[in-house]
Amino acid sequence: MSSKTNSVLIVDDDPMNIMALAHILAPDYTVYAEADGKACLDAAKRLKPDLILLDIVMPELDGFGVIQRLKKDKDTKDIPVIFVTGLTKAQEEVKGFSLGAADFITKPFSPPVVSARVNHQIKILNQMREIQSLSATCILTGIANRHFFNTQLQQEWERAKKNKAHISFLMMDIDNFKDFNHAYGHLNGDVALQRTAKAITSAQNRTIDIAARWGGEEFVVLLPETTLEDAMLVAENIRDTVEKNIFTLLDETTKAGITVSMGVHSALPSPEDNYTLQNFISDTNAILCQAKANGTNHIMQFTSYI
């Protein structure tokens, strides 16, 4: 596995140009290469490169045609494209920018110029990703925040309704968290929140599942395309992982642990019924309250379908 963070796809029908560009970029980036426009479109969807260096004059499908198709595809529309071309007329550059190009490099190219322009685009890309990550992340715990989770929940609910697929929702609360803060202090309470978040994410098995801090000492997990039976398996794995996660407090000597109570709710939404996402959230919260009323370290389940 490469340790290089970013990747570049080079597209040119001249093998010498590909070799030269790859030689310049390979020390800093993972480099892919294709020799024609159609192959570029396939590679862009499959590899998801961070940047594409694209020749304009190519047989069958030229660079202008390629970028038009890239920008129309939701999977590739946000990949920045730098044209690397021998075309030098102003109208061609204007056309390229109007189609969404991020920059131009003129052939014959200079290695320092190639490096500088690629580095500039990658820097912008990484900065934007960091901003997006911060806006979606709970700063204390490092997992998704409630705003991001709500957006994903809305999207997955609509997808489940359209496809008539199962969707499950876990809502959990740290047991006796006020007592923990009183005994160990709020800074150690923050440690407990962080360790709980790590335990929850480590207990997940699928990348499509989303864990988030709901607020205070509450956490949630969204499980798309998941039945109640499978959701209960995930819930029990999380409960068990949190319970066994004994951690050291800030004094570096005291050991502590926490448990969670959890409500597990599964639904099968349909365009034909009146059961809404708000009903789904409200019912999940009600199940969590029942779990807490039944004692600590407890899971309650509920389903909105028969």
Side-chain angles (χ1 to χ4, degrees):
M1 179 70 69
S2 173
S3 62
K4 298 171 185 175
T5 304
N6 296 107
S7 59
V8 179
L9 172 61
I10 301 169
V11 186
D12 199 306
D13 61 337
D14 187 337
M16 297 302 294
N17 285 333
I18 290 178
M19 290 178 61
L21 290 168
H23 179 75
I24 297 167
L25 300 174
D28 299 311
Y29 303 104
T30 299
V31 175
Y32 307 107
E34 296 293 349
D36 62 75
K38 291 183 179 179
C40 169
L41 296 173
D42 175 70
K45 287 178 70 71
R46 177 168 41 86
L47 301 171
K48 299 292 191 301
D50 295 303
L51 178 68
I52 297 175
L53 296 185
L54 181 60
D55 187 19
I56 293 179
V57 181
M58 295 185 293
E60 295 187 42
L61 183 63
D62 66 13
F64 292 139
V66 171
I67 194 172
Q68 285 178 307
R69 297 192 188 186
L70 288 170
K71 296 303 178 184
K72 288 180 180 178
D73 190 322
K74 64 180 179 62
D75 293 328
T76 58
K77 63 184 180 64
D78 295 324
I79 302 175
V81 175
I82 297 178
F83 279 123
V84 184
T85 179
L87 301 179
T88 57
K89 293 182 180 178
Q91 60 264 34
E92 290 160 344
E93 190 168 323
V94 169
K95 181 178 180 180
F97 282 124
S98 70
L99 293 174
D103 204 349
F104 270 75
I105 296 174
T106 303
K107 295 177 182 178
F109 45 79
S110 161
V113 170
V114 171
S115 293
R117 299 204 174 192
V118 169
N119 291 344
H120 179 64
Q121 291 301 324
I122 293 293
K123 181 179 179 180
I124 292 173
L125 178 70
N126 289 339
Q127 288 174 339
M128 290 300 298
R129 285 176 174 172
E130 183 175 357
I131 292 170
Q132 291 169 355
S133 175
L134 289 173
S135 68
T137 303
C138 168
I139 301 301
L140 176 63
T141 62
I143 62 175
N145 59 28
R146 184 166 181 168
H147 174 73
F148 177 80
F149 184 86
N150 282 340
T151 300
Q152 298 302 306
L153 180 58
Q154 178 71 52
Q155 292 177 0
E156 291 300 335
W157 180 262
E158 294 301 323
R159 193 194 318 276
K161 183 187 293 185
K162 178 181 178 182
N163 298 332
K164 295 185 178 180
H166 297 94
I167 183 171
S168 293
F169 186 21
L170 315 183
M171 185 177 288
M172 65 202 79
D173 189 86
I174 297 178
D175 295 321
N176 303 319
F177 190 61
K178 289 182 180 179
D179 293 340
F180 186 97
N181 279 334
H182 180 74
Y184 300 113
H186 288 280
L187 291 179
N188 281 313
D190 288 346
V191 174
L193 292 170
Q194 292 167 346
R195 294 302 298 263
T196 301
K198 288 182 180 179
I200 291 169
T201 54
S202 69
Q204 295 175 236
N205 296 319
R206 305 186 307 175
T207 57
I208 64 171
D209 299 337
I210 302 170
R213 186 182 178 195
W214 189 250
E217 64 269 28
E218 286 190 336
F219 294 85
V220 288
V221 179
L222 174 63
L223 305 172
E225 301 178 9
T226 304
T227 63
L228 179 64
E229 181 181 5
D230 289 336
M232 284 297 294
L233 294 176
V234 176
E236 175 55 29
N237 192 27
I238 290 174
R239 187 209 60 76
D240 184 62
T241 302
V242 172
E243 182 183 22
K244 292 177 178 177
N245 185 32
I246 305 302
F247 50 92
T248 304
L249 300 184
L250 294 174
D251 63 7
E252 298 184 353
T253 57
T254 305
K255 300 286 186 179
I258 50 91
T259 59
V260 293
S261 294
M262 194 182 318
V264 181
H265 187 190
S266 186
L268 186 59
S270 169
E272 288 78 34
D273 63 38
N274 295 320
Y275 193 77
T276 67
L277 176 57
Q278 288 307 311
N279 296 143
F280 187 53
I281 296 172
S282 178
D283 287 344
T284 308
N285 185 66
I287 298 303
L288 170 60
C289 290
Q290 289 185 31
K292 292 168 65 176
N294 286 346
T296 61
N297 203 21
H298 191 72
I299 301 174
M300 290 284 293
Q301 68 181 51
F302 178 73
T303 177
S304 298
Y305 59 92
I306 300 175

